[in-house]
Amino acid sequence: MGETLADCDALTEQETHLIESSGTPDPSAAPGGRRPGGRTAKVRRAVLDATQEALATGGFPTLNMDRIAAAAGVGKTTVYRRWGSPVGLVTDLLRDMAEQSRPAADTGGLAGDLRANAALVRETLTDPRMGAVFRAVLAAAACDEECARALGGFYRTRLTEWAPVVERALARGEVPAGTDPVELLRAVSAPLYYRFSVTHEELGAADAERAVTAALAAAAAGAYTV
């Protein structure tokens, strides 16, 4: 997935520095915490935008708390207190990305909805900025359990948000009764993520269409029934 031992070493060194130099992070910044409002929301937006920019341009090893604070125009104490570590920044960024992602499609049919899902995944991964962000997050998740949990939470949120497209298909009789919506959706996106993160192949429209066709055929055969 592009991670290296040097990346993991950089993560360890940053966390060691933070344990020595900062206090306990604000729990409201962690996934599932209280969503801030007002000036606090503006601070969070600025910090997360700076975090995304840093990941896109330099990857996780270059994610430095002091530089994030400077780029966001926020005091260093605020950043250390609220996010605690680079992993804390990545965790909150993933939560924000899940919240801001495009809503599920409703084209009137399962095939169209799954094509929209595959197109969204492909569009995100092939975007120069967001593709770089995801590569950086994958590298961080390979080194840190907290980041891995945050990445898993991001994907679970998106799968849950898209589950209604399969539920509607079930009501229309387009797939066998008992089809698991999440498993069907996983089958659409998994080949695209594999090409992106494991084999590092280009993702074309034909790859997205192939993933949808295969998932629909497997669903019709009852592969995702529970």
Side-chain angles (χ1 to χ4, degrees):
M1 292 184 289
E3 71 278 359
T4 66
L5 290 176
D7 295 338
C8 294
D9 289 343
L11 171 62
T12 301
E13 289 171 5
Q14 289 191 68
E15 288 184 330
T16 299
H17 168 72
L18 289 163
I19 290 170
E20 295 171 348
S21 63
S22 64
T24 302
D26 183 345
S28 68
R34 172 177 52 83
R35 291 184 64 182
R39 181 179 180 280
T40 302
K42 293 180 181 178
V43 168
R44 179 178 182 244
R45 181 75 273 140
V47 169
L48 294 186
D49 286 348
T51 299
Q52 186 180 96
E53 177 67 18
L55 290 173
T57 57
F60 185 82
T62 65
L63 191 60
N64 177 277
M65 301 286 279
D66 290 2
R67 287 198 289 269
I68 292 298
V74 176
K76 290 188 292 184
T77 302
T78 297
V79 176
Y80 281 109
R81 183 179 66 248
R82 282 190 52 79
W83 287 275
S85 72
V87 170
L89 288 170
V90 171
T91 296
D92 198 26
L93 177 64
L94 284 167
R95 181 177 64 158
D96 181 70
M97 287 166 58
E99 293 169 352
Q100 302 298 325
S101 291
R102 192 181 307 167
D106 186 0
T107 66
L110 179 61
D113 291 346
L114 294 184
R115 287 191 179 97
N117 179 267
L120 176 57
V121 172
R122 175 178 170 266
E123 175 186 313
T124 301
L125 297 181
T126 57
D127 179 82
R129 179 184 180 85
M130 292 310 301
V133 169
F134 271 98
R135 288 195 190 282
V137 170
L138 286 166
C143 302
D144 185 89
E145 183 61 32
E146 180 185 348
C147 190
R149 288 195 299 269
L151 183 60
F154 169 83
Y155 287 122
R156 283 191 297 274
T157 296
R158 294 304 292 149
L159 289 168
T160 299
E161 290 173 348
W162 277 80
V165 307
V166 183
E167 293 165 359
R168 291 193 297 266
L170 280 163
R172 293 189 295 258
E174 293 182 85
V175 288
T179 295
D180 186 321
V182 169
E183 290 305 314
L184 175 49
L185 289 164
R186 286 185 199 274
V188 173
S189 59
L192 305 181
Y193 282 111
Y194 182 86
R195 286 174 177 268
F196 172 78
S197 63
V198 178
T199 62
H200 299 280
E201 298 175 75
E202 291 188 12
L203 287 174
D207 299 311
E209 180 63 26
R210 187 181 303 109
V212 171
T213 300
L216 286 170
Y224 309 120
T225 57
V226 293

